[in-house]
Amino acid sequence: MKRAGVAYLFPAERRVALSNLAPHYFFGAFRESHGLDLLFDGEERSLLDRKRPNEVAVLLVGLSYEPSYLTFVRYLQANGIPVLRSDRPAGNFPLIIAGGVAPSLNPQPLLDICDAVLCGEAEPMHDDLTALLDSPATARELIAKLPYAAKPGRKPRIIQAAAGRFAVHSHPELAAEGNEFGGRTVLELDRGCIGKCYFCAARHLYGESREADRHLITHAAEAAFKRGEDIALLGTGLESVSYFDDLLDRAIAAGRTVSLSSVRIAGFTPQRAARLVAAGVKTVTLAPESMVAATRSRIGKPLSDESLFAAFELAKEHHFRVKLYLMAGLPDGDSAAEAQALIAFFTDLKKRKLTVPLSLSVSPFCPKPGTPFRDKALMPKKEYEHFRAAAMRGLDKLMPQMPIEWFSWRESLLQTALGRLGTDGAQFLAAYADTGNLRTAEKRSGIRLEDAASEIAGITVATGRKKSA
Ligand code: SF4
C-alpha cells in the first residue's frame, strides 16, 4: 500500500477532541502546507479526506493526560496498526510521532510504541516538523538529531515557545463540528503560571507565565464576534494576563459573552467580578485544593480562609455559580482532619449565608513527574474511601442539593503509574490494547499498577526554550 500525507489523532471522541486546542493548532499549521487531516476515537476515517489511519505516511498523536494512552493503543489495534514499534516494519506502517503534556512529563512508556516522542510545545517544533513531513522517508535520521525527542532512560528536554510567540485558538473551519464550550471560539491566553503550586505540572513543566500574542488573540476574538460567536478563554492565570480585561471589554462592546477556564482567587476582585458579569460570565471555577489553610501553604497555594470567604461573597453579590475544586490525599496531610475541615468550611459558609449555587469536585492528589511533589505517594484507595465517606456524612446534611463529583482513585492510580513507568510500560499498554481490560493487562504484562505507582522512574525534567518561526 502506498502511504502518503499526514493525520493528527487526538484519541478522544470528536467533540471532546475538538474542545482541546491541539487539533486546531495542527490543523491550522499543516492543513494548507501538507494536507493534514484529523482523526478521532471511534471513527475509522479522517474528518475531511476520509482516509484510514493506516493510509497516511505520518501519524501525529496528541496525548494530554495519561489515561488517553489506553484509548490511543486501542485505536491502533482497532485499525490494524501493531502497537509495539518492533512489530511494525519500517515503511509498512505510518511513522507514529506522539507529543503532549503527559508524554512530555514521562515519555518512557511510549518509547517502544511510537517512532518518536517529542517533548514540549508544538510551535518551536514547527520547522523540524515541516522538514519531517517534507521527507517522511528520512524522518528517522532527523528525529535522532532533535534534542527534544525523548530517549530511553534519559531525561526529556522540554522545548517551550517564548512569550508572545504562540497564539492558539479554535480554527474557524472546524467551528461547525462544535465543542464542549457550547460552540464558543476557544482562545488560549497563557502558559506556565505565576503561581508556584508544588503539585502542578502546568507550572513546573511550562515554567513562568507566558502570554499568547496579544495582537493575534485579539484579532481571533474580534473575528469570532463578527461571525456572531461567543468566546471561551483558557489559561492558567487568566486574570493576570495583561489584555484579559481588554478582551472582556471587547466582548461586552460586541454584545457577546465569555466563559472562563478558572480564575485564581487572588485575582477575583470586586472590579473584575463586575466586569465578568457584564461579559456574561455565569460560573467561576475556584480551586483552593484544601480547606485547611496550613495545607494550602504547604502545597504552595497560600490562601487565607478569609480570602476564600471573600470570593464567595463576591460570587453571591454578582450571582455567579461556583465550581469548587479540591484534592484529597495531599502530601504530608491528615485526611481525617481534611474531611473535618471541609465540613467546617461549609458549616461556616452557611452561617455566613454565602451558599451560592455551587458544585464540588474532589480528586485524589497525583504526584506528577517534574514537580517538587514528584516523589510523594498517591493516597491508598481505602484512605480515599474513608475521606469520601467522612466528607459525605457531613455534606449530605449540610448541602444536600450540591452536586458532588468524586474522581476515580483508579484513574489517579493509572496516571501515577504511567507517570512513573519506564520503557517496560509499553508491554502493559500493548497487553491492554489486546484485551481492553486493566487487570488482564496487569497479569499479561507482569506490571502491577500499584507497584509501578509506588516506584520512581528516576527521570528528571530539563527545560529549554527556542523561539518559534
Ligand atoms: S495557580 Fe493553578 S496553574 Fe498556577 S501553579 Fe497553581 S495550580 Fe498550577
Side-chain angles (χ1 to χ4, degrees):
M1 182 196 297
K2 169 125 179 58
R3 287 183 178 74
V6 52
Y8 181 87
L9 166 69
F10 194 90
E13 177 259 307
R14 187 190 299 193
R15 196 180 168 79
V16 174
L18 289 175
S19 303
N20 191 294
L21 284 176
H24 295 264
Y25 169 77
F26 281 93
F27 188 82
F30 297 107
R31 175 70 186 167
E32 212 177 302
S33 59
H34 293 82
L36 178 140
D37 205 353
L38 299 175
L39 291 163
F40 305 109
D41 188 41
E43 300 186 26
E44 286 180 359
R45 290 180 182 271
S46 64
L47 181 67
L48 299 175
D49 305 329
R50 312 304 294 156
K51 275 190 172 183
R52 294 180 190 278
N54 207 0
E55 292 168 1
V56 297
V58 180
L59 181 61
L60 301 174
V61 186
L63 297 163
S64 55
Y65 84 134
E66 293 82 357
S68 65
Y69 298 3
L70 303 181
T71 316
F72 165 46
V73 295
R74 291 285 282 172
Y75 184 88
L76 293 181
Q77 183 93 341
N79 286 283
I81 301 175
V83 170
L84 293 174
R85 195 183 64 245
S86 54
D87 294 334
R88 296 194 305 268
N92 290 6
F93 293 97
L95 191 78
I96 300 178
I97 300 175
V101 174
S104 297
L105 290 167
N106 178 24
Q108 300 298 316
L110 295 169
L111 290 181
D112 287 344
I113 293 175
C114 301
D115 294 281
V117 179
L118 304 183
C119 300
E121 298 171 4
E123 293 85 357
M125 299 177 188
H126 180 273
D127 291 356
D128 294 332
L129 286 173
T130 299
L132 193 152
L133 296 178
D134 285 345
S135 175
T138 58
R140 281 187 171 76
E141 290 102 84
L142 175 67
I143 289 165
K145 292 184 199 144
L146 298 177
Y148 53 86
K151 312 261 181 323
R154 299 254 298 272
K155 60 185 182 185
R157 182 174 172 83
I158 294 167
I159 195 164
Q160 296 170 354
R165 304 303 294 258
F166 60 94
V168 188
H169 50 81
S170 310
H171 196 289
E173 284 176 37
L174 300 173
E177 303 298 331
N179 60 28
E180 299 207 310
F181 299 93
R184 290 169 186 270
T185 285
V186 183
L187 306 132
E188 181 196 35
L189 299 199
D190 67 339
R191 293 180 189 166
C193 191
I194 59 168
K196 289 191 171 46
C197 311
Y198 304 143
F199 59 85
C200 179
R203 172 65 175 88
H204 296 279
L205 179 63
Y206 292 131
E208 307 252 321
S209 174
R210 287 164 288 141
E211 293 186 0
D213 181 293
R214 177 179 188 150
H215 173 74
L216 293 177
I217 291 294
T218 303
H219 181 75
E222 290 289 1
F225 300 150
K226 280 207 184 91
R227 293 192 300 271
E229 291 167 17
D230 297 319
I231 59 170
L233 303 180
L234 299 188
T236 48
L238 289 177
E239 74 305 320
S240 66
V241 170
S242 60
Y243 52 92
F244 175 65
D245 287 334
D246 179 61
L247 281 177
L248 296 180
D249 290 344
R250 285 171 186 268
I252 295 164
R256 306 308 315 178
T257 67
V258 177
S259 79
L260 307 175
S261 51
S262 65
V263 283
R264 290 181 334 110
I265 289 168
F268 189 43
T269 58
Q271 298 80 348
R272 176 87 24 69
R275 219 185 215 115
L276 293 176
V277 171
V281 173
K282 302 258 185 284
T283 304
V284 290
T285 301
L286 306 175
E289 318 299 355
S290 165
M291 288 311 179
V292 178
T295 304
R296 295 195 292 269
S297 290
R298 206 175 54 243
I299 64 172
K301 212 174 220 189
L303 293 165
S304 67
D305 287 344
E306 282 316 308
S307 67
L308 253 181
F309 288 121
F312 273 87
E313 263 166 35
L314 274 182
K316 181 166 186 186
E317 186 185 333
H318 294 284
H319 307 288
F320 290 120
R321 279 191 295 271
V322 173
K323 279 190 195 170
L324 194 62
Y325 279 83
L326 299 178
M327 281 192 210
L330 282 159
D332 311 315
D334 172 344
S335 61
E338 293 280 340
Q340 287 314 308
L342 176 57
I343 294 164
F345 173 80
F346 283 105
T347 306
D348 215 354
L349 203 66
K350 281 191 98 167
K351 265 195 212 143
R352 296 177 187 227
K353 301 197 185 333
L354 293 176
T355 48
V356 297
L358 183 63
S359 66
L360 173 66
S361 294
V362 186
S363 58
F365 155 76
C366 279
K368 290 286 180 188
T371 67
F373 282 172
R374 60 186 172 271
D375 296 346
K376 300 291 185 184
L378 172 70
M379 79 194 298
K381 186 176 183 204
K382 275 257 166 304
E383 192 182 335
Y384 185 52
E385 285 167 356
H386 286 149
F387 174 85
R388 175 181 171 154
M392 288 307 292
R393 272 196 296 278
L395 294 177
D396 273 347
K397 284 188 211 124
L398 274 168
M399 307 289 291
Q401 308 297 331
M402 178 171 69
I404 305 177
E405 183 180 20
W406 292 89
F407 284 85
S408 142
W409 180 85
R410 199 143 176 83
E411 187 159 310
S412 296
L413 173 69
L414 186 64
Q415 284 186 51
T416 307
L418 287 169
R420 289 181 167 175
L421 272 166
T423 51
D424 56 341
Q427 298 301 325
F428 168 80
L429 290 168
Y432 179 82
D434 270 346
T435 63
N437 182 290
L438 289 175
R439 291 202 192 282
T440 315
E442 284 182 309
K443 271 191 204 135
R444 273 209 202 171
S445 64
I447 291 175
R448 280 188 71 239
L449 291 175
E450 291 199 39
D451 293 342
S454 60
E455 282 170 18
I456 315 293
I459 304 293
T460 51
V461 177
T463 62
R465 203 169 275 193
K466 178 181 167 187
K467 285 191 175 171
S468 57

